[in-house]
Amino acid sequence: NAGVTQTPKFRVLKTGQSMTLLCAQDMNHEYMYWYRQDPGMGLRLIHYSVGEGTTAKGEVPDGYNVSRLKKQNFLLGLESAAPSQTSVYFCASSYMATSTDTQYFGPGTRLTVL
Amino acid sequence: ILNVEQSPQSLHVQEGDSTNFTCSFPSSNFYALHWYRWETAKSPEALFVMTLNGDEKKKGRISATLNTKEGYSYLYIKGSQPEDSATYLCAFLRYSGGGADGLTFGKGTHLIIQP
């Protein structure tokens, strides 16, 4: 059981480049989430998904797109990277979003946009 | 934007001492309050999920209480050990119509245990 994995672990982009971050979970969880973590800001929700084929906006969705084509994968895309998107990105999943379901986090992807 | 506040921002505690810190959150549309422990270079790991007013949870030397009416939760660590050094995050889950959406996290309390 790998839990939640993220690819890649590190990436450096130039302004305007695009990339996709991959999150995979093997726990058969319905819900998946993308957060970004910035110094002094805590974890902020970018987008989330309540099941295969669904996505919804979180607190800071601008500049990102997501897709959930398969239940186990949740992709985060940056179409035209900006320095403001330099951050550590965490993916998480939960079985559902009932009041007692905890979220399981991946190891993070450190992205630098120059 | 929901306001989830944690205090203090950082805390230095001598090994063996007990300590506690606070999470405050909106008292309306409460669904759940999560506590996570986040060690440096690792991922956040769930400590507790609390749902009912007056809930008390315990895991070893760590315990938490919940007051949903006034919108706060306390995390207590008894007899702090160096391995307790971490950032402790609380996260508020709001009920929104048909269920809940994503967690809103506080900025965390960074705890350092000094030998």
Side-chain angles (χ1 to χ4, degrees):
Chain A
N1 233 4
V4 181
T5 58
Q6 291 182 232
T7 310
K9 287 187 170 51
F10 305 94
R11 186 72 186 268
V12 178
L13 289 179
K14 293 181 181 178
T15 296
Q17 287 185 317
S18 63
M19 77 162 295
T20 301
L21 282 66
L22 170 64
C23 175
Q25 53 92 7
D26 60 2
M27 297 176 281
N28 200 34
H29 284 171
E30 290 293 333
Y31 280 61
M32 296 186 74
Y33 313 83
W34 276 108
Y35 295 92
R36 59 179 289 173
Q37 193 255 331
D38 302 294
M41 296 295 291
L43 286 165
R44 292 183 293 168
L45 183 66
I46 305 171
H47 286 280
Y48 64 103
S49 167
V50 304
E52 182 178 318
T54 74
T55 62
K57 293 180 181 179
E59 182 186 349
V60 288
D62 294 340
Y64 305 94
N65 55 74
V66 286
S67 63
R68 183 102 181 266
L69 298 179
K70 293 183 180 180
K71 185 177 182 178
Q72 62 267 34
N73 295 337
F74 195 29
L75 278 62
L76 178 72
L78 286 73
E79 287 189 352
S80 179
S84 60
Q85 294 177 303
T86 293
S87 187
V88 182
Y89 292 86
F90 285 93
C91 175
S93 70
S94 63
Y95 179 62
M96 294 291 282
T98 66
S99 59
T100 55
D101 284 314
T102 59
Q103 293 188 11
Y104 295 81
F105 284 82
T109 294
R110 185 174 293 275
L111 175 66
T112 302
V113 183
L114 302 175
Chain B
I1 296 177
L2 300 173
N3 204 24
V4 179
E5 300 283 343
Q6 290 188 248
S7 63
Q9 195 171 0
S10 65
L11 196 52
H12 288 71
V13 174
Q14 287 294 123
E15 182 177 352
D17 287 352
S18 296
T19 187
N20 66 84
F21 27 94
T22 307
C23 172
S24 62
F25 52 86
S27 55
S28 59
N29 297 321
F30 177 85
Y31 205 38
L33 194 283
H34 292 215
W35 279 101
Y36 288 82
R37 173 192 158 85
W38 194 359
E39 292 181 72
T40 303
K42 294 187 178 180
S43 309
E45 290 185 349
L47 279 173
F48 305 116
V49 179
M50 309 179 79
T51 57
L52 298 173
N53 186 43
D55 246 358
E56 289 189 26
K57 300 275 187 178
K58 188 174 181 182
K59 183 185 280 190
R61 294 178 291 99
I62 303 177
S63 60
T65 61
L66 178 69
N67 183 322
T68 60
K69 294 183 178 178
E70 295 182 39
Y72 65 83
S73 175
Y74 294 133
L75 190 80
Y76 301 90
I77 301 179
K78 187 177 177 182
S80 303
Q81 299 297 309
E83 59 265 28
D84 295 329
S85 295
T87 296
Y88 291 83
L89 300 172
C90 72
F92 173 72
L93 187 63
R94 178 184 62 173
Y95 183 79
S96 55
D101 45 29
L103 290 169
T104 299
F105 282 84
K107 294 179 183 178
T109 292
H110 184 52
L111 177 66
I112 297 169
I113 308 300
Q114 296 168 325

